[in-house]
Amino acid sequence: MAFENLTEKFKRIFKTIKGEARLTESNMDSVLKEIRVALLDADVNYKVVKNFILRIKERALGEKVYTELNPSEMVIKIVNDELIKLLGSDSSEIKYNKNKPTIIMLVGLQGSGKTTTAGKLSLLMKNKLKKKVLVAACDIYRPGAINQLEQVVNKVGVDFFSLGDKVDPVDIASKAKTKAYNDHYDVLIIDTAGRLQIDEVLMNELKCMKDKVEPDEILLLTDAMAGQDSVNVAKTFNELLGLTGTIMSKLDGDSRGGAALSIKEVTGVPIKFIGVGEKLDDLDIFYPDRMASRILGMGDVISLVEKVQENIDEKEAKKAAKKLEKGEFTLIDLLDQMKQVKKIGSISSILGMIPGMPKISKEQQDLAEKEMKNFEVIINSMTYEERIHPEIIKYSRKQRIANGSGKTIADVNRVLKKYEQGKMLAKQMGSMKKRGGMMPPNFPKF
Ligand code: GDP
């Protein structure tokens, strides 16, 4: 994930200052110097860094922090506030029209993630916001572009509009708008053509399209991995077209994150969404405050809670809780639990959101995820009877299950051991409930 290095550096900087009894002009100067280096290392635009440091300095002096206040808290607070401002403190969510379709033009260079994001956006709008969405294919130049978009859109299950690749893109957009009005769509997403770099012909086409369809939003796809280049692209697109927002894709990659931290300040255009993976549900609404606290290493509890709420089937959760209360636990429950965890997202992305969570290495994460997959294959190779009453699984059954799942007997034993631990925990939880919520004395710590 982007920002990892920056987060580590901020943590270190705050730690050094924690030891200071009070803030003095000289220790403040050295903190600012370190923050400056950390931001430049993260590929943040140098002018942005300069102004950011100036603002922190001004505030630090203005707020008379050189008193009894806890220096580290004060610095964190100021840096956090200023980071939020840098990322765009005003609300930048899309405003949907009430009585007519909201028209969104997606623009950007080739490979920036436009097609994928058209799909991700439609999914988010369809599922979370319950919008009726139409997606129009206006990239008639790149071979296969229309097909690729149609596939993505079909996967999401929203409607697709195309007039093939022989009609002028401005006409296609205009006809799509008419359809969106006539058929009462809530949202029309127009996927436009990309180029390898900005060129005049493309810009003219986009300008004509803008004049013709009068979109509510023109959103530019920017690639986090392209660093400061994408900030420059955003600047040019904004000057020529007037953007209402950007969507930064590929923030899951190992970019240093500088583009995300520079783009609002340099262009004045807010980031509205971020792409955090290749899958269709890997698009998040961008919240500057959450991103700031994540960058500062404070975790993002709100995002975690939302993610959990969205993904865990409430009924299932209640059912599981009831069973736990009774101390009942089968291999089916173990599998269900694992599936819920999988639904929430990868273990690593969850752990990253919990403040104070010890960092686990990439190898450890991979190992944990691999183990979960192994368990699933093994449990799937068992009969129903075996899943409900694992105690009947003796040597010959183990042999059969191992053969059926392509694993070893040792692997099967590991699942059974995990099951025993889960069962014990279930019993303890059950008795805890009976004892009025008191933790059992040997309750394992996470
Ligand atoms: P387009 O040319 O602008 O339409 O770009 P595409 O939508 O075809 O995306 C280009 C590549 O980037 C594809 O391989 C996508 O899977 C990938 N991609 C798009 N968004 C993201 C993202 O948020 N994270 C990652 N890791 N890959 C992405």
Side-chain angles (χ1 to χ4, degrees):
M1 184 73 185
F3 301 120
E4 250 165 33
N5 276 337
L6 187 58
T7 302
E8 280 310 310
K9 281 183 192 151
F10 268 124
K11 276 188 188 160
R12 230 176 297 142
I13 295 171
F14 295 144
K15 215 171 179 174
T16 30
I17 200 160
K18 216 171 184 170
E20 306 278 349
R22 26 170 68 206
L23 276 183
T24 62
E25 190 130 17
S26 83
N27 64 22
M28 191 65 203
D29 269 349
S30 80
V31 165
L32 288 175
K33 210 188 237 163
E34 285 182 52
I35 294 179
R36 185 171 165 276
V37 173
L39 290 171
L40 287 174
D41 275 352
D43 187 36
V44 181
N45 175 295
Y46 74 96
K47 274 192 202 151
V48 172
V49 176
K50 198 170 148 206
N51 291 334
F52 183 77
I53 297 293
L54 270 177
R55 284 202 297 266
I56 295 182
K57 196 168 185 173
E58 249 168 46
R59 274 195 59 185
L61 291 169
E63 291 185 14
K64 295 198 178 63
V65 291
Y66 309 126
T67 59
E68 309 77 35
L69 283 163
N70 174 338
S72 134
E73 275 171 15
M74 197 66 203
V75 174
I76 293 176
K77 185 186 174 331
I78 295 175
V79 174
N80 185 48
D81 289 351
E82 291 304 323
L83 261 187
I84 294 173
K85 275 191 212 156
L86 202 62
L87 292 162
S89 40
D90 314 329
S91 157
S92 54
E93 289 189 34
I94 289 186
K95 288 178 198 76
Y96 294 92
N97 298 324
K98 279 219 170 74
N99 302 314
K100 57 177 187 172
T102 302
I103 301 177
I104 299 170
M105 248 172 89
L106 279 188
V107 300
L109 296 186
Q110 243 173 51
S112 57
K114 239 172 337 86
T115 315
T116 318
T117 306
K120 289 176 175 176
L121 263 182
S122 357
L123 183 75
L124 185 135
M125 289 169 179
K126 175 185 160 226
N127 284 1
K128 267 199 195 155
L129 309 171
K130 309 290 171 220
K131 303 279 181 203
K132 185 180 172 193
V133 182
L134 180 67
V135 180
C138 293
D139 181 358
I140 61 164
Y141 310 103
R142 181 165 68 85
I146 299 179
N147 246 335
Q148 188 196 345
L149 183 67
E150 185 172 16
Q151 278 177 17
V152 172
V153 169
N154 284 343
K155 214 165 165 187
V156 175
V158 296
D159 294 335
F160 179 65
F161 185 91
S162 162
L163 296 176
D165 60 1
K166 303 284 182 290
V167 179
D168 180 61
V170 179
D171 282 344
I172 302 177
S174 162
K175 296 216 163 73
K177 177 177 174 177
T178 308
K179 181 175 168 64
Y181 269 77
N182 289 344
D183 297 349
H184 307 289
Y185 281 90
D186 298 312
V187 181
L188 167 64
I189 297 174
I190 301 173
D191 183 34
T192 64
R195 294 279 197 280
L196 290 174
Q197 58 223 8
I198 295 169
D199 73 43
E200 219 183 307
V201 183
L202 167 72
M203 281 303 166
N204 279 336
E205 180 180 301
L206 294 177
K207 261 194 266 180
C208 287
M209 197 181 283
K210 176 187 175 183
D211 293 343
K212 186 90 180 185
V213 300
E214 297 175 324
D216 300 279
E217 300 272 352
I218 304 181
L219 302 179
L220 172 77
L221 253 298
T222 54
D223 180 341
M225 303 292 285
Q228 291 306 309
D229 280 349
S230 44
V231 178
N232 293 331
V233 168
K235 207 164 162 237
T236 314
F237 264 85
N238 187 40
E239 281 158 9
L240 295 173
L241 270 182
L243 301 172
T244 60
T246 60
I247 302 179
M248 186 152 283
S249 66
K250 307 181 196 175
L251 261 179
D252 52 310
D254 54 2
S255 84
R256 286 173 287 163
L261 281 168
S262 316
I263 205 158
K264 167 71 178 16
E265 180 99 345
V266 172
T267 64
V269 180
I271 302 176
K272 297 208 171 185
F273 299 93
I274 49 173
V276 290
E278 291 190 76
K279 291 199 304 298
L280 282 170
D281 58 357
D282 287 332
L283 184 78
D284 291 340
I285 295 173
F286 181 70
Y287 297 109
D289 50 346
R290 296 182 191 182
M291 184 60 87
S293 58
R294 192 177 289 183
I295 292 173
L296 294 183
M298 296 181 210
D300 187 348
V301 185
I302 315 165
S303 287
L304 175 65
V305 170
E306 271 192 357
K307 220 169 180 178
V308 170
Q309 276 172 349
E310 255 171 47
N311 285 290
I312 291 202
D313 183 331
E314 216 176 302
K315 250 171 78 201
E316 281 300 312
K318 275 196 185 136
K319 225 166 76 190
K322 267 242 149 62
K323 281 189 149 184
L324 282 179
E325 258 176 54
K326 286 195 216 151
E328 284 172 16
F329 193 74
T330 69
L331 275 169
I332 296 176
D333 300 320
L334 184 68
L335 197 58
D336 280 350
Q337 277 184 2
M338 286 180 173
K339 282 186 184 153
Q340 292 283 21
V341 172
K342 245 183 167 175
K343 261 201 220 168
I344 298 168
S346 72
I347 297 176
S348 50
S349 77
I350 293 175
L351 288 181
M353 289 181 193
I354 303 173
M357 202 60 204
K359 263 191 106 56
I360 57 170
S361 69
K362 177 89 181 61
E363 287 78 43
Q364 285 171 312
Q365 290 166 20
D366 290 348
L367 216 70
E369 295 206 17
K370 213 167 124 198
E371 173 135 82
M372 267 173 44
K373 283 197 188 112
N374 276 342
F375 274 33
E376 196 170 349
V377 178
I378 291 170
I379 296 176
N380 281 339
S381 288
M382 295 176 183
T383 63
Y384 180 75
E385 184 71 10
E386 286 163 352
R387 291 181 209 178
I388 300 287
H389 299 293
E391 60 279 1
I392 63 171
I393 304 176
K394 299 283 181 301
Y395 184 78
S396 66
R397 284 181 191 262
K398 280 182 193 171
Q399 185 84 60
R400 195 205 75 242
I401 295 164
N403 286 343
S405 57
K407 304 282 168 197
T408 62
I409 290 194
D411 292 329
V412 179
N413 282 337
R414 246 204 316 280
V415 173
L416 294 174
K417 192 155 175 229
K418 183 95 178 180
Y419 159 75
E420 285 302 331
Q421 289 168 347
K423 195 171 156 182
M424 203 136 80
L425 196 66
K427 268 198 191 133
Q428 288 174 342
M429 302 265 284
S431 66
M432 176 179 103
K433 187 88 185 180
K434 280 182 210 134
R435 284 187 289 120
M438 290 285 289
M439 288 285 182
N442 55 343
F443 192 82
K445 293 205 167 46
F446 192 46

